[in-house]
Amino acid sequence: MGPTPSLPETLKRLDVLVQERKMRRSDLLDPKELAARTALPEATVRTLLHGGAPPADTVNDRVRARISTLADAYLARTGVRMSELANRISRQLGVSAFWARQVCSGEKVPSVELLHGLVDFFGVEGGEAFFTVPADEALHRALLPVLASLQPGPDGPESDPDPLAAVLARHGDVRGIALRRARDLPEERWHVLSATLNALLELDAHEAEHGTQEAAP
């Protein structure tokens, strides 16, 4: 497996594929949607999509800002108050509601243990790195499934396995139920979801392979 491409390289590849299909980049890349998926400011996403550099920050800045963004989105989606969100995190992660509220408001940086718990609570992809990687890498991760959905794959049903089936085989909980419902999505949305799952499965295999190699004497 070759080296992982950078954000500029992926954007160039996307532009080539978009042109080949006589599409517009804006048909695929919605800055508002990408901002929501990455917990990045929309202005930062727009800057990165146009080849600019993200604002300078620290890891702590990223963690505070992205948790705060996820918390705000959670409040808007559920209609609950910050106090209730803090209570829910308190019950699930075993921390004080006061501390959970400070973390969700961006006032405090969580411990590694709490950050791990927030990955599960908010259901983000990529583990703790979702909160800690630089903005360009965070956006790049979100674009890889889009790129995969445009790239032609091998022909034949046997060479194009159903990634949803692989996930359902491993998950029998609410995630599995949600994925079963995904089969009713329109075809174009299913292609994007299928490519996303394929990319995640390939990433898991790549990490497992490299972990085995590193562990070998």
Side-chain angles (χ1 to χ4, degrees):
M1 182 176 293
T4 302
S6 64
L7 175 61
E9 292 171 330
T10 293
L11 286 173
K12 288 180 181 178
R13 292 167 65 184
L14 278 170
D15 286 338
V16 170
L17 292 169
V18 165
Q19 291 175 4
E20 289 177 352
R21 287 158 178 74
K22 297 181 179 180
M23 302 169 63
R24 297 175 300 177
R25 186 198 269 192
S26 58
D27 294 333
L28 288 174
L29 307 182
D30 180 353
K32 185 174 183 179
E33 179 184 354
L34 289 169
R37 288 172 54 192
T38 57
L40 294 173
E42 185 177 339
T44 298
V45 172
R46 291 183 180 277
T47 296
L48 291 170
L49 289 176
H50 286 87
D57 60 8
T58 66
V59 173
N60 285 348
D61 292 336
R62 298 167 202 158
V63 172
R64 285 195 298 265
R66 291 175 197 173
I67 292 175
S68 178
T69 298
L70 289 176
D72 289 343
Y74 186 97
L75 298 179
R77 183 173 66 252
T78 62
V80 303
R81 296 183 177 182
M82 177 65 81
S83 58
E84 176 56 25
L85 171 57
N87 286 334
R88 292 180 182 182
I89 293 176
S90 172
R91 291 192 294 268
Q92 182 166 323
L93 277 73
V95 297
S96 72
F98 176 74
W99 179 250
R101 182 166 187 155
Q102 286 186 307
V103 169
C104 287
S105 63
E107 299 175 54
K108 297 291 185 180
V109 179
S111 65
V112 174
E113 182 179 1
L114 179 54
L115 191 63
H116 180 74
L118 290 173
V119 168
D120 290 332
F121 182 87
F122 287 113
V124 299
E125 299 288 349
E128 292 83 353
F130 178 92
F131 300 101
T132 61
V133 296
D136 56 343
E137 184 175 342
L139 179 59
H140 187 222
R141 291 181 176 207
L143 293 183
L144 287 177
V146 180
L147 177 63
S149 71
L150 292 177
Q151 291 179 323
D155 295 329
E158 293 185 1
S159 60
D160 186 19
D162 181 1
L164 184 57
V167 176
L168 290 175
R170 295 202 301 266
H171 298 296
D173 56 8
V174 67
R175 288 171 294 180
I177 297 173
L179 288 170
R180 289 186 180 93
R181 293 177 59 189
R183 291 191 184 277
D184 297 326
L185 287 173
E187 183 177 359
E188 63 275 10
R189 292 183 180 273
W190 166 246
H191 286 324
V192 174
L193 177 58
S194 177
T196 300
L197 291 169
N198 267 323
L200 290 172
L201 292 172
E202 290 175 2
L203 178 61
D204 285 344
H206 176 64
E207 291 177 347
E209 177 184 355
H210 279 256
T212 302
Q213 291 176 351
E214 291 175 359

mmCIF file of all heavy atoms in Angstrom, residues 2-3 5 40 50 56 69 72 77 79 107 110 115 125 127 129 134-136 140 151 182 187 196 198 200 206:
data_model
loop_
_atom_site.group_PDB
_atom_site.id
_atom_site.type_symbol
_atom_site.label_atom_id
_atom_site.label_comp_id
_atom_site.label_asym_id
_atom_site.label_seq_id
_atom_site.Cartn_x
_atom_site.Cartn_y
_atom_site.Cartn_z
ATOM 1 N N GLY A 2 0.573 2.195 -0.888
ATOM 2 C CA GLY A 2 1.384 3.386 -1.011
ATOM 3 C C GLY A 2 1.127 4.360 0.111
ATOM 4 O O GLY A 2 0.249 4.161 0.958
ATOM 5 N N PRO A 3 1.887 5.470 0.115
ATOM 6 C CA PRO A 3 1.707 6.476 1.148
ATOM 7 C C PRO A 3 0.341 7.140 1.053
ATOM 8 O O PRO A 3 -0.230 7.266 -0.031
ATOM 9 C CB PRO A 3 2.842 7.469 0.861
ATOM 10 C CG PRO A 3 3.161 7.273 -0.597
ATOM 11 C CD PRO A 3 2.941 5.811 -0.844
ATOM 12 N N PRO A 5 -2.287 9.894 0.634
ATOM 13 C CA PRO A 5 -2.225 11.200 -0.031
ATOM 14 C C PRO A 5 -2.565 12.326 0.939
ATOM 15 O O PRO A 5 -3.205 12.106 1.971
ATOM 16 C CB PRO A 5 -3.268 11.074 -1.142
ATOM 17 C CG PRO A 5 -4.235 10.057 -0.630
ATOM 18 C CD PRO A 5 -3.404 9.078 0.146
ATOM 19 N N LEU A 40 -15.526 21.264 12.496
ATOM 20 C CA LEU A 40 -14.665 22.394 12.180
ATOM 21 C C LEU A 40 -15.525 23.606 11.851
ATOM 22 O O LEU A 40 -16.660 23.456 11.386
ATOM 23 C CB LEU A 40 -13.783 22.073 10.961
ATOM 24 C CG LEU A 40 -12.742 20.966 11.103
ATOM 25 C CD1 LEU A 40 -12.108 20.682 9.742
ATOM 26 C CD2 LEU A 40 -11.674 21.364 12.114
ATOM 27 N N HIS A 50 -10.350 25.678 -0.703
ATOM 28 C CA HIS A 50 -9.788 26.579 -1.705
ATOM 29 C C HIS A 50 -8.266 26.628 -1.636
ATOM 30 O O HIS A 50 -7.639 27.516 -2.225
ATOM 31 C CB HIS A 50 -10.366 27.979 -1.538
ATOM 32 C CG HIS A 50 -11.787 28.112 -1.993
ATOM 33 N ND1 HIS A 50 -12.856 27.844 -1.163
ATOM 34 C CD2 HIS A 50 -12.321 28.447 -3.205
ATOM 35 C CE1 HIS A 50 -13.985 28.029 -1.838
ATOM 36 N NE2 HIS A 50 -13.693 28.390 -3.072
ATOM 37 N N ALA A 56 -3.743 28.941 12.915
ATOM 38 C CA ALA A 56 -2.826 28.293 13.860
ATOM 39 C C ALA A 56 -3.571 27.974 15.148
ATOM 40 O O ALA A 56 -4.371 28.769 15.638
ATOM 41 C CB ALA A 56 -1.635 29.196 14.135
ATOM 42 N N THR A 69 -18.355 22.284 19.696
ATOM 43 C CA THR A 69 -19.168 22.241 18.481
ATOM 44 C C THR A 69 -20.111 21.044 18.495
ATOM 45 O O THR A 69 -21.294 21.157 18.141
ATOM 46 C CB THR A 69 -18.258 22.172 17.240
ATOM 47 O OG1 THR A 69 -17.452 23.359 17.187
ATOM 48 C CG2 THR A 69 -19.073 22.061 15.962
ATOM 49 N N ASP A 72 -22.906 21.723 20.995
ATOM 50 C CA ASP A 72 -23.909 22.650 20.462
ATOM 51 C C ASP A 72 -24.824 21.949 19.459
ATOM 52 O O ASP A 72 -26.040 22.170 19.446
ATOM 53 C CB ASP A 72 -23.223 23.844 19.793
ATOM 54 C CG ASP A 72 -22.560 24.774 20.801
ATOM 55 O OD1 ASP A 72 -22.891 24.688 22.004
ATOM 56 O OD2 ASP A 72 -21.702 25.585 20.381
ATOM 57 N N ARG A 77 -29.989 19.429 18.063
ATOM 58 C CA ARG A 77 -30.651 18.248 17.507
ATOM 59 C C ARG A 77 -31.674 17.663 18.466
ATOM 60 O O ARG A 77 -32.737 17.200 18.044
ATOM 61 C CB ARG A 77 -29.599 17.192 17.170
ATOM 62 C CG ARG A 77 -30.148 15.940 16.510
ATOM 63 C CD ARG A 77 -29.017 15.023 16.054
ATOM 64 N NE ARG A 77 -28.251 14.477 17.175
ATOM 65 C CZ ARG A 77 -27.028 14.849 17.488
ATOM 66 N NH1 ARG A 77 -26.412 15.795 16.795
ATOM 67 N NH2 ARG A 77 -26.387 14.304 18.513
ATOM 68 N N GLY A 79 -32.823 19.251 21.471
ATOM 69 C CA GLY A 79 -33.651 20.217 22.165
ATOM 70 C C GLY A 79 -33.467 20.242 23.672
ATOM 71 O O GLY A 79 -34.211 20.946 24.375
ATOM 72 N N GLU A 107 -14.561 25.114 28.220
ATOM 73 C CA GLU A 107 -13.764 25.765 29.258
ATOM 74 C C GLU A 107 -12.608 24.896 29.733
ATOM 75 O O GLU A 107 -11.579 25.411 30.172
ATOM 76 C CB GLU A 107 -14.665 26.109 30.459
ATOM 77 C CG GLU A 107 -15.794 27.067 30.148
ATOM 78 C CD GLU A 107 -16.714 27.251 31.347
ATOM 79 O OE1 GLU A 107 -16.203 27.590 32.435
ATOM 80 O OE2 GLU A 107 -17.937 27.035 31.199
ATOM 81 N N PRO A 110 -10.594 17.809 28.455
ATOM 82 C CA PRO A 110 -10.846 16.542 29.149
ATOM 83 C C PRO A 110 -9.589 15.693 29.249
ATOM 84 O O PRO A 110 -8.637 15.856 28.478
ATOM 85 C CB PRO A 110 -11.892 15.862 28.270
ATOM 86 C CG PRO A 110 -11.611 16.396 26.909
ATOM 87 C CD PRO A 110 -11.190 17.828 27.112
ATOM 88 N N LEU A 115 -11.937 11.762 27.109
ATOM 89 C CA LEU A 115 -11.982 11.973 25.664
ATOM 90 C C LEU A 115 -12.381 10.679 24.955
ATOM 91 O O LEU A 115 -13.161 10.694 24.000
ATOM 92 C CB LEU A 115 -10.612 12.445 25.169
ATOM 93 C CG LEU A 115 -10.557 12.971 23.726
ATOM 94 C CD1 LEU A 115 -11.428 14.207 23.574
ATOM 95 C CD2 LEU A 115 -9.116 13.289 23.340
ATOM 96 N N GLU A 125 -16.334 9.204 14.307
ATOM 97 C CA GLU A 125 -15.443 8.230 13.687
ATOM 98 C C GLU A 125 -13.991 8.638 13.881
ATOM 99 O O GLU A 125 -13.677 9.827 13.943
ATOM 100 C CB GLU A 125 -15.746 8.127 12.185
ATOM 101 C CG GLU A 125 -17.150 7.661 11.852
ATOM 102 C CD GLU A 125 -17.364 6.188 12.160
ATOM 103 O OE1 GLU A 125 -16.373 5.484 12.430
ATOM 104 O OE2 GLU A 125 -18.525 5.745 12.117
ATOM 105 N N GLY A 127 -11.906 7.682 16.437
ATOM 106 C CA GLY A 127 -11.379 7.664 17.790
ATOM 107 C C GLY A 127 -11.014 9.051 18.292
ATOM 108 O O GLY A 127 -11.523 10.073 17.823
ATOM 109 N N ALA A 129 -8.555 10.761 17.748
ATOM 110 C CA ALA A 129 -7.944 11.612 16.726
ATOM 111 C C ALA A 129 -8.960 12.571 16.113
ATOM 112 O O ALA A 129 -8.574 13.626 15.594
ATOM 113 C CB ALA A 129 -7.318 10.754 15.630
ATOM 114 N N PRO A 134 -4.966 18.020 13.190
ATOM 115 C CA PRO A 134 -5.106 19.354 12.599
ATOM 116 C C PRO A 134 -6.300 19.428 11.665
ATOM 117 O O PRO A 134 -6.780 18.407 11.158
ATOM 118 C CB PRO A 134 -3.783 19.554 11.843
ATOM 119 C CG PRO A 134 -2.823 18.620 12.503
ATOM 120 C CD PRO A 134 -3.632 17.440 12.943
ATOM 121 N N ALA A 135 -6.761 20.629 11.405
ATOM 122 C CA ALA A 135 -7.970 20.823 10.605
ATOM 123 C C ALA A 135 -7.840 20.227 9.209
ATOM 124 O O ALA A 135 -8.793 19.623 8.695
ATOM 125 C CB ALA A 135 -8.302 22.310 10.510
ATOM 126 N N ASP A 136 -6.675 20.375 8.575
ATOM 127 C CA ASP A 136 -6.533 19.855 7.211
ATOM 128 C C ASP A 136 -6.629 18.334 7.193
ATOM 129 O O ASP A 136 -7.216 17.748 6.279
ATOM 130 C CB ASP A 136 -5.233 20.334 6.568
ATOM 131 C CG ASP A 136 -3.999 19.977 7.383
ATOM 132 O OD1 ASP A 136 -4.130 19.645 8.577
ATOM 133 O OD2 ASP A 136 -2.892 20.047 6.823
ATOM 134 N N HIS A 140 -9.461 16.087 5.414
ATOM 135 C CA HIS A 140 -8.992 15.065 4.481
ATOM 136 C C HIS A 140 -9.652 13.727 4.773
ATOM 137 O O HIS A 140 -10.085 13.016 3.854
ATOM 138 C CB HIS A 140 -7.474 14.940 4.583
ATOM 139 C CG HIS A 140 -6.879 14.034 3.556
ATOM 140 N ND1 HIS A 140 -5.883 13.134 3.836
ATOM 141 C CD2 HIS A 140 -7.174 13.861 2.236
ATOM 142 C CE1 HIS A 140 -5.572 12.467 2.742
ATOM 143 N NE2 HIS A 140 -6.333 12.884 1.763
ATOM 144 N N GLN A 151 -14.361 6.800 -7.552
ATOM 145 C CA GLN A 151 -13.363 5.995 -8.258
ATOM 146 C C GLN A 151 -13.978 4.688 -8.727
ATOM 147 O O GLN A 151 -14.709 4.035 -7.981
ATOM 148 C CB GLN A 151 -12.163 5.722 -7.349
ATOM 149 C CG GLN A 151 -11.340 6.963 -7.059
ATOM 150 C CD GLN A 151 -10.181 6.688 -6.138
ATOM 151 O OE1 GLN A 151 -10.310 5.882 -5.218
ATOM 152 N NE2 GLN A 151 -9.059 7.349 -6.362
ATOM 153 N N ALA A 182 -30.372 1.518 6.408
ATOM 154 C CA ALA A 182 -29.671 2.214 5.323
ATOM 155 C C ALA A 182 -29.911 1.549 3.975
ATOM 156 O O ALA A 182 -29.714 2.183 2.931
ATOM 157 C CB ALA A 182 -28.174 2.260 5.623
ATOM 158 N N GLU A 187 -30.345 5.212 -4.263
ATOM 159 C CA GLU A 187 -29.149 4.564 -4.793
ATOM 160 C C GLU A 187 -27.914 5.440 -4.658
ATOM 161 O O GLU A 187 -26.840 4.964 -4.270
ATOM 162 C CB GLU A 187 -29.361 4.190 -6.258
ATOM 163 C CG GLU A 187 -28.180 3.443 -6.866
ATOM 164 C CD GLU A 187 -28.434 3.011 -8.287
ATOM 165 O OE1 GLU A 187 -29.552 3.291 -8.781
ATOM 166 O OE2 GLU A 187 -27.538 2.421 -8.902
ATOM 167 N N THR A 196 -17.993 4.763 2.040
ATOM 168 C CA THR A 196 -17.514 5.129 3.375
ATOM 169 C C THR A 196 -17.155 3.881 4.176
ATOM 170 O O THR A 196 -16.093 3.808 4.803
ATOM 171 C CB THR A 196 -18.590 5.929 4.129
ATOM 172 O OG1 THR A 196 -18.891 7.111 3.394
ATOM 173 C CG2 THR A 196 -18.102 6.320 5.521
ATOM 174 N N ASN A 198 -16.459 0.901 3.014
ATOM 175 C CA ASN A 198 -15.298 0.269 2.404
ATOM 176 C C ASN A 198 -14.008 0.932 2.860
ATOM 177 O O ASN A 198 -13.013 0.264 3.170
ATOM 178 C CB ASN A 198 -15.406 0.328 0.878
ATOM 179 C CG ASN A 198 -16.047 -0.922 0.299
ATOM 180 O OD1 ASN A 198 -15.818 -2.022 0.793
ATOM 181 N ND2 ASN A 198 -16.855 -0.755 -0.730
ATOM 182 N N LEU A 200 -13.483 2.602 5.611
ATOM 183 C CA LEU A 200 -13.231 2.303 7.016
ATOM 184 C C LEU A 200 -12.695 0.885 7.190
ATOM 185 O O LEU A 200 -11.779 0.646 7.991
ATOM 186 C CB LEU A 200 -14.520 2.480 7.825
ATOM 187 C CG LEU A 200 -15.000 3.921 8.002
ATOM 188 C CD1 LEU A 200 -16.380 3.947 8.651
ATOM 189 C CD2 LEU A 200 -14.013 4.717 8.837
ATOM 190 N N HIS A 206 -5.560 -2.028 7.176
ATOM 191 C CA HIS A 206 -4.225 -1.430 7.056
ATOM 192 C C HIS A 206 -3.590 -1.261 8.434
ATOM 193 O O HIS A 206 -2.422 -1.590 8.643
ATOM 194 C CB HIS A 206 -4.339 -0.080 6.362
ATOM 195 C CG HIS A 206 -3.047 0.670 6.262
ATOM 196 N ND1 HIS A 206 -1.967 0.210 5.540
ATOM 197 C CD2 HIS A 206 -2.653 1.859 6.805
ATOM 198 C CE1 HIS A 206 -0.975 1.065 5.632
ATOM 199 N NE2 HIS A 206 -1.368 2.073 6.395
#
